[in-house]
Amino acid sequence: MELPPYELGDQTDVTMLFQFAPFFQSWFPEGWASSPWWDEFEGRTNTSWELREISSMAWQENVNLLCASGDLPDVVSNIGSVYNGGLSQAIRDEMIVDLKPILEESAPYYYSIVSQDDYTMKTMVDDDGQMGAMYATKSTIYTVDNGLWIRKDWLDELGMDIPTTTDEMKTVLEGFRDSFGADVGLYQMVRSNTNQVFCAVEGVWNAFGSTDFYLDEDGNVQFGPMQDYYYDYLAFLKSLAEEDLFLTSDMTDQTSMTLFASGGIGIQGDDPDNLKSNIALLPEDEQAKVVMVPMAALGEPTELGAKASLANGEGSISISTNCEEPEAVIHAIDYLFTDDGAILSSYGIEGLTFEYEDGKPELSDLVLKNPDGMPARAAMGYYTNPGLPGMIDPDRSHKYWNDTQKSGYGIWESAYTGSSMTFPKDALSLTSDEQDSISVYYADMVTYATEWANGVVFGDTQLTDAEIASFQDTMRTTMHIDEIVDVYAAAYERFMAR
């Protein structure tokens, strides 16, 4: 379908509640609004944006307070991740606008992208056909775009191979600890506000099974922590933790960067963009010899393919009902899905953050080799689209990737064992009755199960048959896990029927 040329609308002032990751804050303390990207975007769309910047650590509290007071600004990023009942409930509560009726006319470029295949559109709307958010989209989809990295230089000194089983991983981590002082071994960041029990340890859960809701072989919804394999998973992690070979961010005040810089980490999950900046944290003599290589997830690869949506949930915005001109706001954002806008979204400003080479945009050293030492990931978050919906080129940072970084995607995909899209929990919408039926105990269930799992892995709780039976009984009788599973099963049936 041929789309009309993008036309500027009337001057529009926009207020936005903007979520940012704490990692970035130290690199630009004046905030995202100081970036030249915003000036460029405002000029091209005839808009003026006033940002209220909130760390993800304080995000839920601030969103809840503004919802309670009725003072949400025009635009809110990622409200669905923290609003009780998600986007559908936020629409029912008249906190945000249903964008579906105005999308095709006001944002035709975005609409043409998300409506081009049935699965993507399924993930965009709720069971009533309402659309509570716009999302960033990707020009290229990778099934797996991050995974494990391991100290190959240490492996070589020990005469060991990259582990492919849990037993081999433990042996390798023991060698790293005993020979190189890696007293953390395997490190896992635990993301806040995920509403998930404990954590899915990168590349390790794959050897056992899903740690969250999933579909079994018969297509039925199940919950990982209620399955026998989950206790084998916890038992393996406990065996590591007891020998100081495993740590999560919940169990330490130190950051992954600090632990890696001190030589405490031998295996960790990350994406290829961060490889060089991580190595740069090490002492100079160590940098010269360190070799980090991608490591495939443990376990047997499956034939189950990911249903990949073009949408990237990391860059979502919703329009609050306080906004007087929702059509003008989404029309401005639609610019970032035009050809020129997609370049601005992914690469920023020509002559400053990118140049054309052989007709293709390439990020400049200001972004990829920042003279102030800013990591490429942080520089891209500042000098290119910082979090609005827009077309994103996931290959944009590959110019300076070495062969090791480039090999990551292939190695991780070769061991593919499923993905979060196998059961699209975040795309489901619950009815008011369903939300009411589980809202009173879902958070308590997650808290209880997480504390129990932490007690097993890092504490004195023993995985006896009696202890497991007691846990499952509490999950069923007090935490209502069976009712929660039934609710998600019904919501999944409606999702598939959209």
Side-chain angles (χ1 to χ4, degrees):
M1 179 178 68
E2 185 174 349
L3 296 171
Y6 183 87
E7 295 184 1
L8 284 178
D10 296 334
Q11 167 65 34
T12 305
D13 296 329
V14 186
T15 58
M16 179 177 182
L17 192 66
F18 180 84
Q19 182 185 25
F20 69 87
F23 163 78
F24 296 112
Q25 190 171 21
S26 62
W27 296 105
F28 26 95
E30 294 181 0
W32 275 256
S34 64
S35 168
W37 188 91
W38 282 103
D39 293 333
E40 187 72 17
F41 172 65
E42 289 173 338
R44 295 193 193 186
T45 58
N46 202 23
T47 57
S48 176
W49 291 67
E50 178 185 335
L51 304 185
R52 177 176 175 182
E53 302 173 15
I54 305 294
S55 164
S56 58
M57 303 298 291
W59 184 248
Q60 184 165 10
E61 178 185 1
N62 276 269
V63 171
N64 289 341
L65 287 172
L66 289 169
C67 288
S69 66
D71 293 328
L72 282 176
D74 297 326
V75 178
V76 185
S77 57
N78 300 325
I79 190 175
S81 65
V82 295
Y83 194 85
N84 188 21
L87 295 173
S88 296
Q89 189 62 44
I91 293 175
R92 287 194 289 267
D93 291 342
E94 298 183 350
M95 290 291 173
I96 62 174
V97 175
D98 173 18
L99 301 176
K100 186 67 183 299
I102 62 175
L103 194 72
E104 186 171 6
E105 180 176 350
S106 299
Y109 285 86
Y110 177 75
Y111 181 82
S112 71
I113 293 169
V114 299
S115 63
Q116 66 182 270
D117 71 90
D118 290 340
Y119 186 80
T120 296
M121 183 53 78
K122 280 179 184 288
T123 65
M124 296 293 101
V125 299
D126 64 16
D127 299 333
D128 297 321
Q130 300 177 119
M131 185 178 293
M134 294 177 70
Y135 297 87
T137 62
K138 299 176 181 179
S139 58
T140 304
I141 295 176
Y142 294 104
T143 304
V144 185
D145 58 9
N146 61 76
L148 290 175
W149 295 88
I150 188 168
R151 288 288 297 263
K152 182 66 163 56
D153 53 314
W154 288 353
L155 286 174
D156 291 343
E157 285 194 45
L158 296 173
M160 293 181 171
D161 295 324
I162 295 175
T164 58
T165 67
T166 54
D167 287 342
E168 290 175 0
M169 173 179 272
K170 185 174 182 181
T171 299
V172 164
L173 290 172
E174 289 171 339
F176 286 178
R177 179 199 59 201
D178 297 341
S179 297
F180 307 107
D183 54 2
V184 171
L186 173 67
Y187 177 85
Q188 177 65 44
M189 170 66 73
V190 178
R191 306 292 181 185
S192 60
N193 300 326
T194 61
N195 289 323
Q196 293 184 12
V197 170
F198 189 51
C199 63
V201 179
E202 185 86 58
V204 176
W205 69 264
N206 315 67
F208 299 91
S210 174
T211 63
D212 199 11
F213 295 94
Y214 70 98
L215 298 176
D216 64 19
E217 293 180 354
D218 297 322
N220 298 315
V221 178
Q222 305 288 354
F223 188 54
M226 295 296 287
Q227 312 305 315
D228 289 343
Y229 69 74
Y230 187 78
Y231 313 118
D232 295 333
Y233 168 69
L234 295 183
F236 173 66
L237 296 179
K238 184 179 185 71
S239 73
L240 297 183
E242 287 178 334
E243 297 189 35
D244 296 325
L245 301 175
F246 171 63
L247 190 65
T248 69
S249 58
D250 277 352
M251 306 305 294
T252 179
D253 292 332
Q254 299 187 72
T255 67
S256 61
M257 293 184 291
T258 301
L259 293 169
F260 184 83
S262 67
I265 297 175
I267 302 176
Q268 69 174 357
D270 215 331
D271 63 59
D273 274 326
N274 297 327
L275 181 62
K276 293 179 181 178
S277 58
N278 285 339
I279 292 175
L281 298 169
L282 297 169
E284 289 188 12
D285 59 334
E286 188 76 2
Q287 292 180 36
K289 62 180 182 179
V290 65
V291 178
M292 298 286 291
V293 298
M295 170 183 159
L298 305 181
E300 293 295 324
T302 69
E303 295 300 320
L304 179 62
K307 292 181 177 179
S309 170
L310 288 167
N312 174 8
E314 294 178 356
S316 74
I317 62 96
S318 297
I319 309 298
S320 85
T321 50
N322 291 330
C323 179
E324 296 180 355
E325 301 178 274
E327 294 88 352
V329 173
I330 67 171
H331 181 68
I333 293 173
D334 195 44
Y335 174 76
L336 297 175
F337 296 92
T338 67
D339 290 343
D340 290 340
I343 297 296
L344 176 65
S345 183
S346 284
Y347 293 92
I349 303 169
E350 184 179 3
L352 178 66
T353 59
F354 82 93
E355 299 286 357
Y356 283 99
E357 298 181 12
D358 298 325
K360 296 181 179 180
E362 297 285 359
L363 289 171
S364 68
D365 287 353
L366 178 66
V367 178
L368 297 181
K369 294 183 177 181
N370 186 268
D372 296 324
M374 188 186 298
R377 180 169 57 138
M380 282 190 285
Y382 184 73
Y383 289 110
T384 69
N385 185 349
L388 290 180
M391 179 64 74
I392 300 296
D393 179 2
D395 297 333
R396 58 184 173 166
S397 62
H398 296 187
K399 175 181 178 180
Y400 289 115
W401 280 16
N402 57 33
D403 290 341
T404 299
Q405 290 169 289
K406 292 176 182 177
S407 69
Y409 288 176
I411 290 172
W412 298 326
E413 288 185 4
S414 71
Y416 177 69
T417 52
S419 82
S420 61
M421 291 309 297
T422 301
F423 179 69
K425 176 184 169 186
D426 292 339
L428 304 182
S429 59
L430 307 184
T431 66
S432 295
D433 289 343
E434 288 171 338
Q435 184 59 41
D436 290 342
S437 70
I438 69 171
S439 63
V440 293
Y441 39 72
Y442 187 93
D444 288 341
M445 182 276 291
V446 171
T447 299
Y448 166 73
T450 298
E451 290 178 350
W452 183 81
N454 272 322
V456 170
V457 175
F458 298 108
D460 297 326
T461 303
Q462 301 300 311
L463 278 173
T464 63
D465 290 344
E467 178 62 36
I468 293 172
S470 175
F471 167 74
Q472 292 186 331
D473 181 65
T474 301
M475 286 289 283
R476 290 192 172 99
T477 60
T478 305
M479 300 301 160
H480 303 272
I481 186 58
D482 291 337
E483 290 96 320
I484 294 173
V485 169
D486 288 345
V487 164
Y488 280 123
Y492 180 69
E493 287 187 12
R494 295 195 301 272
F495 170 83
M496 294 303 295
R498 288 178 186 172

